[in-house]
Amino acid sequence: MTERYKKLKREAEAGGYHLNPDIEFTRELVEGLLINEARYGYPSCPCRIASGVKEEDLDIICPCDYRDPDLNEYGACYCALYVSQAVLKGEQQVRSIPERRPPPEERKKRTQHPAGIPSALPYPVWRCKVCGYLCARDEPPEICPICKAKKERFERFL
């Protein structure tokens, strides 16, 4: 667990993010990620109920799709693993964060109706659903260079 904590912290800081400064609390979240990874084969958010079907849970694999909007609006992600600079400095308190994840029916509609916007670009444009990083190439990168989300977290944007 210590190694995973260090890796998450290193990747967060390299990407301009911060882990919660409450180390004991953060370690419990990391332990939850590891338990979910052993249980499902992927590190789903420890504060949400995963279905156990990776394709259905892609939006809640840490870092989840809702991290950045939660950080911008509330200063922390849903589970408070990631916090803003203001929270890190003690200038803002972490408070309850409402769930942004749409109900299952809406999530299913989104996956059934991708953007499908025709493009005259020589390469498709891929968007990281976690941080919004865009890249134009035949396939999305294996790992997002910004937030470290894996390839399956990208969607075709154009």
Side-chain angles (χ1 to χ4, degrees):
M1 179 171 65
T2 300
E3 288 306 313
R4 178 63 67 95
Y5 172 83
K6 288 179 181 176
K7 180 181 178 192
L8 283 173
K9 184 170 179 59
R10 185 176 53 251
E11 289 177 353
E13 298 294 331
Y17 296 95
H18 309 285
L19 293 186
N20 192 313
D22 183 337
I23 294 173
E24 187 173 329
F25 174 77
T26 302
R27 286 181 172 270
E28 289 176 13
L29 291 172
V30 172
E31 183 178 4
L33 288 171
L34 292 171
I35 289 170
N36 284 345
E37 190 168 26
R39 181 181 294 150
Y40 304 120
Y42 49 90
S44 65
C45 176
C47 295
R48 291 181 168 108
I49 298 174
S51 70
V53 178
K54 189 174 183 179
E55 292 75 25
E56 294 177 11
D57 295 335
L58 284 175
D59 62 325
I60 60 168
I61 294 175
C62 188
C64 72
D65 291 359
Y66 317 105
R67 176 187 65 181
D68 287 7
D70 285 346
L71 281 172
N72 291 335
E73 191 168 350
Y74 300 102
C77 67
Y78 185 72
C79 67
L81 176 63
Y82 292 94
V83 298
S84 67
Q85 181 74 20
V87 170
L88 184 68
K89 289 182 174 180
E91 299 168 355
Q92 180 183 1
Q93 294 288 320
V94 174
R95 56 190 167 119
S96 177
I97 300 167
E99 174 64 277
R100 288 182 190 271
R101 190 177 198 209
E105 303 80 31
E106 190 175 328
R107 292 195 311 268
K108 190 172 183 178
K109 285 179 189 174
R110 288 181 182 183
T111 58
Q112 290 174 340
H113 302 289
I117 300 169
S119 172
L121 299 172
Y123 295 101
V125 176
W126 300 93
R127 176 185 165 272
C128 175
K129 294 193 304 185
V130 176
C131 70
Y133 170 75
L134 298 174
C135 63
R137 51 198 281 181
D138 288 329
E139 296 289 329
E142 290 296 321
I143 295 176
C144 177
I146 305 301
C147 70
K148 312 303 181 208
K150 293 184 179 175
K151 182 178 187 174
E152 68 263 14
R153 306 295 298 283
F154 279 78
E155 66 182 357
R156 187 168 175 162
F157 187 67
L158 291 176

